[in-house]
């Protein structure tokens, strides 16, 4: 059927009227999008065990659908990717690219890049300059060898080839570092700082390359005018638009939703207008969107709302179309013969040599060990989005023909693909701290009966999901804080658990917190904190008798437990406090928000492998549910049945026995005359607590109708803000019953699942014996 392109309609009349939807723009675009998403997601699933970034799958998906593989079938291309649909697909993909680059500029903090340090900036400059000069030298060779390239002007080809070889993909590098658990190492920190600087340099080089390409067939003065206009646009944005956007960000608040919508629409219109202006100048529309993103204030509520509104739709749906369109343009069949494939090997070798050698030499000058320097070079060789932008612009401007485009695309895929296995082979950081053979318990180490000089400081690792759980955790830490100078000191390591996803905000958060983990940062020395969570704990640490260190763990949930256990071992903590996977919202709603089974499995993996005691904190607004006066203490109950976990709970409860907490121990007594070693230990633990802390209220309850009923009655009484229990008890009648939350144990699950209970629950488990 012959198609009339001049009368192409957007939508069809439907199959029932004999109209083929694939002959119309919009239905075909839907099918193309679905196919691209399916293929790219499927390839990402296949490559996930190899720890490859998603960009690899998206480019390979485009290559697979294009003329290199499935597209070799002409009928396939004519039906699903006809030539008339290419501008439509690329226009939609360019809209996604425009807003994605706005997000990149929105997240990129120029101030932090200036503070990167001489070492990181020197490494970045070496990693840019040497491969750039190598690329310039390579372009002289390719201009003679590749058919058609000799028609391109020398300056344009030199710059494009040099830029293509010198770029480092910051978002892709961030994901690779997170996957390899290198974010907290010196290599990771240096690579992130250098890559951020490289990002800015890449945009400058890209603007230069596009300006030169614009004047390739005209007077050289055109390129000069393009450059001058581009510089003027940047100055205009940073001097006039930036103060205006600061004003907009201050005006935008959660109290004015309608105004907020108006400002967000204004900002999105600003993205499009900035893109149009740079396209009119002759650079590229994406450059304008990126620069406009730089004008938005960083880290505020307005930036967070913009990111939330844009990123899922852009990153999840539109951006894969751009990567796929690059793959669709890549025709590997254009690379024919041994000579051509030898050229591919040469380009890859030159790219890797320039990037790795330049970074390696400068890193060695800064006295970085050989293996770390080599790993840095491999990491800085990562390619990504900006690389593809350069190649696509070069192809549009007729600077790169089909063969050269295919060669450089394969180079980008290969260098990125090799990064993860190469770094794993070269660099093995001391991440796997050797676990001590002796389990770390609270019992005995911090007992008040010990002389002061023999008592160890109590070290706790407290994990949080977000700002909502911070007040309750601070109240818990405040309750455990030493009441006097004679008590063992308390040191708390607060870890903010952040899931690493494919979102740009998740990736870029790595840049803002690239020193998460080790060494722990005392952000007080840096002035005002950028994060609500460390700011809250810093404020408490200034007034409390507690040493607090904050860190952020950014990791996939499947490996989050490694970050937690690593900190626990390296800092030799005696107790890890984990947030329950269901969080309390507000007292008025009286319901818990379920964060999902993935967070539940994180807790289960920590419980099964930790070499110290672990506590699960079921927070129902601990310390904030009552209207308290300054002298009104919190009420805490320890439900004691017996066993190692209950004795550990009793030991932890002893830390709470001071003026700000009214502690009650409820010992449940069963009708049994059996006497064994465990029971003797239980009685000794209770006796020591009562002897050391006379203020503790002690109640004995004879259990006849089941311990579950006793636990529920305590929870429903509303007398206690917090109920502390051990995970497993001796001879519990609930053993073998199906539990909704097995990680909480029998009593903990009862207290967490029973409706009407307003008390928070802390379930403590001692380390399990490893076989």
């Amino acid at each position: 059927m012959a198609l009339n392109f001049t009368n192409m309609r957007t939508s069809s009349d439907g199959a029932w009227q004999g109209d083929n939807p694939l002959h119309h723009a919009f239905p075909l675009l839907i099918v193309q999008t679905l196919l691209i998403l399916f293929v790219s997601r499927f390839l990402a699933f296949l490559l996930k065990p190899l720890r490859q970034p998603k960009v690899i799958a998206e480019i390979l998906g485009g290559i697979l659908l294009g003329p290199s593989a499935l597209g070799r079938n002409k009928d396939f291309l004519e039906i699903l990717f006809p030539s008339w649909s290419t501008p439509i697909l690329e226009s939609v993909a360019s809209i996604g690219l425009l807003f994605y680059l706005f997000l990149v500029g929105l997240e990129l903090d120029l101030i932090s890049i200036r503070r990167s340090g001489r070492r990181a900036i020197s490494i970045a400059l070496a990693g840019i300059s040497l491969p750039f000069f190598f690329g310039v030298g390579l372009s002289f060779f390719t201009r003679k060898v590749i058919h058609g390239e000799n028609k391109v002007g020398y300056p344009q080809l030199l710059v494009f080839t040099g830029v293509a070889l010198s770029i480092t993909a910051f978002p892709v590098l961030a994901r690779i570092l997170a996957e390899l658990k290198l974010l907290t190492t010196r290599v990771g920190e240096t690579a992130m700082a250098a890559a951020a600087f490289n990002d800015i340099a890449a945009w400058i080089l890209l603007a230069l390359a596009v300006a030169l390409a614009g004047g390739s067939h005209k007077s050289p003065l055109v390129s000069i005018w393009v450059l001058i206009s581009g510089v003027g646009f940047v100055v205009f944005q940073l001097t006039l638009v930036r103060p205006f956007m600061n004003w907009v960000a201050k005006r935008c608040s959660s109290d004015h939703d309608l105004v907020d919508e108006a400002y967000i629409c204004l900002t999105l219109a600003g993205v499009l207008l900035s893109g149009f202006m740079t396209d009119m100048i002759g650079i590229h529309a994406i450059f304008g969107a990126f620069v406009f993103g730089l004008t938005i204030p960083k880290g505020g509520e307005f930036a967070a709302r913009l990111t939330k509104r844009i990123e899922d739709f852009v990153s999840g749906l539109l951006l894969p179309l751009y990567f796929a369109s690059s793959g669709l343009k890549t025709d590997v069949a254009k690379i024919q013969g041994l000579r051509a494939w030898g050229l591919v090997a040469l380009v890859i070798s030159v790219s890797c040599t320039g990037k790795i050698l330049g970074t390696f030499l400068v890193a060695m000058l800064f006295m970085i060990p050989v293996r770390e320097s080599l790993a840095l070079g491999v990491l800085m060789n990562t390619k990504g989005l900006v690389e593809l932008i350069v190649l696509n612009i070069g192809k549009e401007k007729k600077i790169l023909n089909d063969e050269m485009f295919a060669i450089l695309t394969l180079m980008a895929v290969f260098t990125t693909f090799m990064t993860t296995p190469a770094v794993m082979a070269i660099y093995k950081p001391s991440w796997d701290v050797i676990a001590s053979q002796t389990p770390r318990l609270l019992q005995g180490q911090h007992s008040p009966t010990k002389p002061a000089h023999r008592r160890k400081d109590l070290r706790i690792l407290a994990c949080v999901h977000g700002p909502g759980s911070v007040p309750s955790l601070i109240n818990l830490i405040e309750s455990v804080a030493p009441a006097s100078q004679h008590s063992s000191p308390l040191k708390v390591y607060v870890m903010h658990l952040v899931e690493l996803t494919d979102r740009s905000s998740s990736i870029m958060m790595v840049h803002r917190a690239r020193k998460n983990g080790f060494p722990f940062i005392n952000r007080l020395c840096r002035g005002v904190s950028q994060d609500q969570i460390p700011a809250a704990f810093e404020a408490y640490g200034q007034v409390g008798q507690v040493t607090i260190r904050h860190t952020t763990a950014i990791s996939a949930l499947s490996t989050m437990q490694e970050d937690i256990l690593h900190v626990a071992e390296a800092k030799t903590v005696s107790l890890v406090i984990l947030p329950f996977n269901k969080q309390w919202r507000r007292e008025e709603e009286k319901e818990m928000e379920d964060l999902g089974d993935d967070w539940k499995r994180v807790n289960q993996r920590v419980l099964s492998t930790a070499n110290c005691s672990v506590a699960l904190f079921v927070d129902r607004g601990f310390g904030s549910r009552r209207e308290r006066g300054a002298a009104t203490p919190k009420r805490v109950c320890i439900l004691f049945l017996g066993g190692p976990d209950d004795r550990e709970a009793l030991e932890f409860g002893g830390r709470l026995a001071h003026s700000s907490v009214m502690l009650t121990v409820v010992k449940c007594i069963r009708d049994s005359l059996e006497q064994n070693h465990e029971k003797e230990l239980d009685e000794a633990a209770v006796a020591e607590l009562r002897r050391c802390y006379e203020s503790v209220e002690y109640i004995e309850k004879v259990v006849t109708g089941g311990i579950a009923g006793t636990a529920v009655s305590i929870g429903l009484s509303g007398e206690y803000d917090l109920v502390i229990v051990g995970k497993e008890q001796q001879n519990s009648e609930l053993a073998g019953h199906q539990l909704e939350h097995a990680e909480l144990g029998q009593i903990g699950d009862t207290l967490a699942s029973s409706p009407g209970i307003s008390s928070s629950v802390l379930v403590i488990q001692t380390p399990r014996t490893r076989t």
Side-chain angles (χ1 to χ4, degrees):
M1 175 181 175
L3 296 175
N4 187 353
F5 297 110
T6 59
N7 296 322
M8 182 61 61
R9 290 162 53 191
T10 303
S11 58
S12 69
D13 293 328
W16 291 112
Q17 299 188 44
D19 204 358
N20 188 346
L22 297 183
H23 290 167
H24 300 270
F26 188 59
L28 181 60
L29 178 64
I30 293 175
V31 173
Q32 290 173 338
T33 303
L34 290 174
L35 184 60
I36 289 170
L37 291 178
F38 173 77
V39 172
S40 62
R41 290 292 178 177
F42 179 70
L43 289 175
F45 173 77
L46 294 180
L47 294 173
K48 190 174 182 180
L50 301 178
R51 297 184 174 183
Q52 292 299 323
K54 194 177 69 169
V55 62
I56 293 290
E58 290 168 342
I59 298 174
L60 291 179
I63 295 175
L64 184 64
L65 294 171
S68 301
L70 296 176
R72 295 180 70 85
N73 185 325
K74 300 301 180 184
D75 293 334
F76 175 85
L77 272 186
E78 269 308 311
I79 294 172
L80 291 176
F81 295 98
S83 57
W84 60 264
S85 70
T86 302
I88 301 171
L89 178 64
E90 291 186 355
S91 295
V92 175
S94 296
I95 289 290
L97 182 66
L98 193 75
F99 281 98
Y100 181 80
L101 268 299
F102 165 70
L103 289 177
V104 173
L106 175 68
E107 297 285 351
L108 199 60
D109 191 354
L110 296 177
I111 296 177
S112 67
I113 293 175
R114 288 204 302 266
R115 296 175 179 174
S116 295
R118 190 164 60 94
R119 180 174 65 181
I121 293 176
S122 300
I123 289 174
L125 288 174
I128 294 171
S129 56
L130 190 60
F132 184 86
F133 289 124
F134 276 28
V136 169
L138 181 67
S139 63
F140 285 100
F141 179 74
T142 56
R143 195 171 188 273
K144 295 178 181 179
V145 173
I146 297 179
H147 179 70
E149 285 297 311
N150 57 348
K151 299 177 182 178
V152 181
Y154 269 113
Q156 293 80 20
L157 185 61
L158 297 182
V159 174
F160 266 91
T161 308
V163 172
L165 267 62
S166 61
I167 288 172
T168 297
F170 174 76
V172 180
L173 176 63
R175 172 159 293 280
I176 291 174
L177 289 171
E179 289 285 347
L180 297 179
K181 302 293 183 184
L182 295 178
L183 284 172
T184 59
T185 63
R186 180 170 62 174
V187 167
E189 293 175 10
T190 305
M192 290 293 291
F197 181 84
N198 190 294
D199 238 17
I200 297 296
W203 282 105
I204 296 173
L205 292 174
L206 177 59
L208 175 64
V210 176
L212 289 174
S216 58
H217 302 294
K218 300 175 184 178
S219 170
L221 289 176
V222 173
S223 297
I224 297 175
W225 281 115
V226 169
L227 282 175
I228 294 174
S229 301
V231 172
F233 172 79
V234 174
V235 172
F236 169 76
Q237 288 279 338
L238 296 181
T239 56
L240 297 178
V241 177
R242 191 172 189 175
F244 175 73
M245 295 311 299
N246 285 332
W247 177 82
V248 168
K250 291 177 182 177
R251 292 276 298 171
C252 180
S253 65
S254 56
D255 298 330
H256 303 87
D257 289 336
L258 292 177
V259 177
D260 177 49
E261 288 293 333
Y263 285 139
I264 286 181
C265 291
L266 176 66
T267 305
L268 298 182
V271 177
L272 297 172
L273 180 60
S274 298
F276 174 77
M277 289 177 65
T278 49
D279 187 80
M280 185 173 63
I281 289 171
I283 301 179
H284 199 283
I286 56 172
F287 187 77
F290 172 76
V291 175
F292 183 69
L294 294 176
T295 66
I296 308 296
K298 314 302 176 188
E301 183 181 357
F302 183 60
R305 290 190 179 193
L306 282 172
T307 303
K308 185 177 180 180
R309 300 286 178 91
I310 300 173
E311 68 174 341
D312 283 335
F313 181 70
V314 170
S315 302
L317 184 65
L318 297 183
L319 194 62
L321 299 183
Y322 183 81
F323 287 114
S325 66
S326 297
L328 286 167
K329 296 175 189 175
T330 306
D331 188 0
V332 180
K334 296 289 184 181
I335 308 174
Q336 297 178 347
L338 290 176
R339 182 180 180 184
W341 283 104
L343 184 60
V344 174
L346 176 64
V347 171
I348 292 174
S349 300
V350 170
S351 173
C352 294
T353 302
K355 201 73 171 178
I356 296 173
L357 183 63
T359 305
F360 174 80
L361 292 176
V362 175
M364 289 292 291
L365 290 177
F366 281 95
M367 308 304 293
I368 297 177
V370 175
R371 284 184 177 271
E372 292 186 17
S373 300
L374 194 57
L376 265 176
V378 175
L379 288 167
M380 295 297 291
N381 198 33
T382 305
K383 309 295 182 187
L385 178 63
V386 182
E387 170 84 8
L388 290 183
I389 293 173
V390 170
L391 299 183
N392 278 283
I393 293 175
K395 187 173 173 60
E396 289 174 10
K397 303 291 185 181
K398 308 297 183 184
I399 294 172
L400 305 177
N401 62 13
D402 290 343
E403 184 180 358
M404 191 64 180
F405 180 83
I407 289 173
L408 292 176
T409 301
L410 290 179
M411 178 270 294
V413 172
F414 180 82
T415 53
T416 305
F417 189 90
M418 64 166 274
T419 299
T420 298
V423 173
M424 292 176 66
I426 295 170
Y427 180 61
K428 300 183 184 299
S430 55
W431 220 97
D432 300 321
V433 179
I434 300 175
S436 58
Q437 298 300 316
T438 304
R440 297 185 299 279
L441 300 170
L442 297 173
Q443 300 172 51
Q445 294 189 32
H446 317 286
S447 173
T449 59
K450 280 188 175 184
H453 68 278
R454 294 186 59 189
R455 287 199 299 268
K456 298 180 180 179
D457 58 335
L458 175 58
R459 298 188 177 193
I460 294 177
L461 172 61
C463 303
V464 293
H465 287 149
S469 56
V470 169
S472 296
L473 187 57
I474 288 179
N475 283 326
L476 182 62
I477 293 172
E478 183 182 30
S479 303
V480 186
S484 66
Q485 295 180 351
H486 301 290
S487 304
S488 55
L490 175 63
K491 181 175 287 188
V492 179
Y493 301 95
V494 179
M495 176 177 278
H496 183 195
L497 306 180
V498 178
E499 180 184 5
L500 181 68
T501 66
D502 292 328
R503 288 180 167 188
S504 63
S505 60
S506 178
I507 298 295
M508 300 304 290
M509 186 174 183
V510 178
H511 175 53
R512 293 199 301 268
R514 66 174 182 263
K515 287 189 177 180
N516 66 327
F518 293 102
F520 278 84
I521 309 166
N522 183 357
R523 296 174 185 258
L524 291 173
C525 64
R526 298 186 176 187
V528 180
S529 174
Q530 297 290 327
D531 193 355
Q532 299 177 36
I533 294 178
F537 283 102
E538 286 166 8
Y540 169 70
Q542 288 179 331
V543 298
Q545 298 181 3
V546 181
T547 303
I548 293 182
R549 296 290 182 267
H550 176 267
T551 183
T552 303
I554 305 175
S555 180
L557 293 186
S558 59
T559 59
M560 183 70 76
Q561 74 280 356
E562 296 177 12
D563 298 75
I564 298 171
L565 296 174
H566 174 60
V567 173
E569 289 299 325
K571 295 300 178 181
T572 60
V573 302
S574 300
L575 179 68
V576 175
I577 300 177
L578 298 173
F580 187 47
N581 64 290
K582 291 184 178 180
Q583 288 188 339
W584 175 75
R585 288 182 177 176
R586 292 191 300 269
E587 188 171 2
E588 298 80 17
E589 297 180 2
K590 295 184 178 179
E591 61 181 38
M592 304 286 281
E593 177 186 5
D594 194 345
L595 299 180
D597 290 339
D598 289 336
W599 284 107
K600 180 178 181 178
R601 284 188 282 271
V602 171
N603 291 343
Q604 290 172 341
R605 288 190 287 265
V606 174
L607 284 165
S608 62
T609 56
N611 200 41
C612 62
S613 296
V614 180
L616 274 178
F617 186 31
V618 183
D619 175 32
R620 292 190 176 106
F622 174 58
S624 62
R625 301 187 67 90
R626 296 184 181 188
E627 293 295 332
R628 300 180 177 277
T632 305
K634 307 178 187 70
R635 295 186 60 88
V636 178
C637 174
I638 302 175
L639 186 59
F640 186 85
L641 284 79
D645 291 351
D646 275 25
R647 291 195 294 271
E648 191 76 349
L650 203 67
E651 182 73 25
F652 180 80
R655 294 281 311 199
L656 279 65
H658 50 74
S659 58
S660 65
V661 176
M662 292 183 62
L663 180 64
T664 302
V665 177
V666 178
K667 182 180 180 183
C668 297
I669 301 176
R670 298 184 181 89
D671 188 13
S672 174
L673 298 177
E674 181 183 357
Q675 187 75 16
N676 54 35
H677 180 61
E678 285 293 325
K679 194 169 184 179
E680 292 175 358
L681 293 175
D682 294 341
E683 292 176 352
V686 172
E688 181 180 0
L689 181 72
R690 297 183 67 184
R691 182 174 64 254
C692 297
Y693 305 103
E694 297 180 355
S695 62
V696 175
E697 181 182 5
Y698 180 73
I699 301 174
E700 289 187 352
K701 283 193 175 183
V702 178
V703 179
T704 55
I707 186 60
T710 303
V712 171
S713 65
I714 290 174
L716 291 174
S717 68
E719 296 181 11
Y720 303 106
D721 299 304
L722 177 67
V723 179
I724 303 176
V725 297
K727 181 184 176 184
E728 295 183 3
Q729 293 78 29
Q730 292 293 109
N731 304 319
S732 173
E733 80 281 351
L734 295 177
H737 286 218
Q738 187 67 31
L739 302 178
E740 183 181 355
H741 307 290
E743 69 274 16
L744 295 176
Q746 300 148 6
I747 306 303
D749 178 68
T750 301
L751 290 169
S753 305
S754 301
I757 295 180
S758 59
S759 304
S760 298
V761 183
L762 190 71
V763 180
I764 298 181
Q765 172 194 282
T766 53
R768 295 302 180 238
T769 303
R770 296 179 182 144
T771 57

